[in-house]
Amino acid sequence: MTQQPRGRRPRGSGTRESILAAAKTRFAEMGYPRTTLRAVALDAGVDVRLVTHYFGSKQSLFAHCVELPFDPETAFEAILAPGLEGIGERVARFVVGGLGTEAGRQTITGLLRAAASEEEAAETIRHLLVERMLGPLATRLGTDQPELRGALMGSQVAGISIARYVVQLPPLVDAPVEQLIGALAPVFDHYLTDPMPHA
């Protein structure tokens, strides 16, 4: 029986990165409740004490795993620079493209699986989607009720992520990328630029 490595690896050995990669996969596939530090350590091939050394608690490890795989400011500049015309399509292309990468898909699906069962994870995804991404994007457009617009955008991103990558509804899984972008673009246009009903 092969003994699991014990003790801290030498600096520069990529231990922290290996743990983080293993944790991202675990959270995405198993969800927050069923992911344990011991399981992450086993996947990374390290002693569990190294996981706590680098990340502390499971909550802290989870927070590190959900860092955005892109810089929001850079993304906003590219989306907003051409103006309001066609903004729905640019947002749709950005969202679908981001979910098409392994890093983006792991981040969002991991968050959604966790948010379904843990309030701490739900708070994380609210902060990520609404406060750091979609809310600021709506605010920079200068339209009214940016928080509501951002939340509606978040509902659309969460919905397509669950349906296509978690539940895996066949028509959405099989839909070509351009068809998906074309279907989402007018919805994003509506949420971002159309008059918003008041309470």
Side-chain angles (χ1 to χ4, degrees):
M1 183 175 176
T2 304
Q3 203 168 21
Q4 191 173 337
R6 290 194 169 274
R8 186 177 178 183
R9 287 182 179 175
R11 183 177 298 178
S13 62
T15 301
R16 188 180 187 281
E17 291 74 16
S18 297
I19 294 169
L20 201 54
K24 285 180 179 179
T25 300
R26 274 274 170 182
F27 282 126
E29 294 179 355
M30 306 300 292
Y32 187 92
R34 292 192 294 163
T35 296
T36 65
L37 296 184
R38 189 171 299 279
V40 170
L42 186 64
D43 291 348
V46 301
D47 190 277
V48 70
R49 289 174 295 184
L50 275 176
V51 181
T52 56
H53 167 77
Y54 282 111
F55 298 101
S57 66
K58 184 170 90 167
Q59 183 184 356
S60 174
L61 177 60
F62 181 72
H64 280 83
C65 286
V66 298
E67 282 302 307
L68 293 171
F70 61 88
D71 174 40
E73 283 301 316
T74 303
F76 294 164
E77 288 303 323
I79 290 170
L80 295 171
L84 289 181
E85 186 69 29
I87 192 167
E89 181 182 344
R90 292 194 297 277
V91 172
R93 193 169 295 281
F94 176 76
V95 169
V96 173
L99 289 171
T101 67
E102 186 176 355
R105 189 163 55 249
Q106 277 193 345
T107 297
I108 296 300
T109 57
L111 276 169
L112 292 172
R113 287 178 190 274
S117 56
E118 292 287 331
E119 176 55 31
E120 289 173 353
E123 179 62 32
T124 301
I125 195 171
R126 283 195 293 269
H127 175 75
L128 184 74
L129 282 179
V130 179
E131 295 179 31
R132 291 188 59 195
M133 289 175 55
L134 302 173
L137 176 62
T139 299
R140 290 179 62 171
L141 284 173
T143 49
D144 66 333
Q145 303 187 68
E147 294 85 1
L148 178 58
R149 292 177 187 273
L152 287 167
M153 291 282 290
S155 73
Q156 195 69 39
V157 173
I160 195 70
S161 301
I162 290 175
R164 185 173 167 90
Y165 297 109
V166 179
V167 179
Q168 296 186 346
L169 294 177
L172 283 176
V173 173
D174 299 335
V177 168
E178 289 300 319
Q179 184 181 26
L180 201 58
I181 291 170
L184 290 172
V187 180
F188 289 151
D189 264 328
H190 170 64
Y191 285 153
L192 288 171
T193 64
D194 284 355
M196 187 62 58
H198 288 269

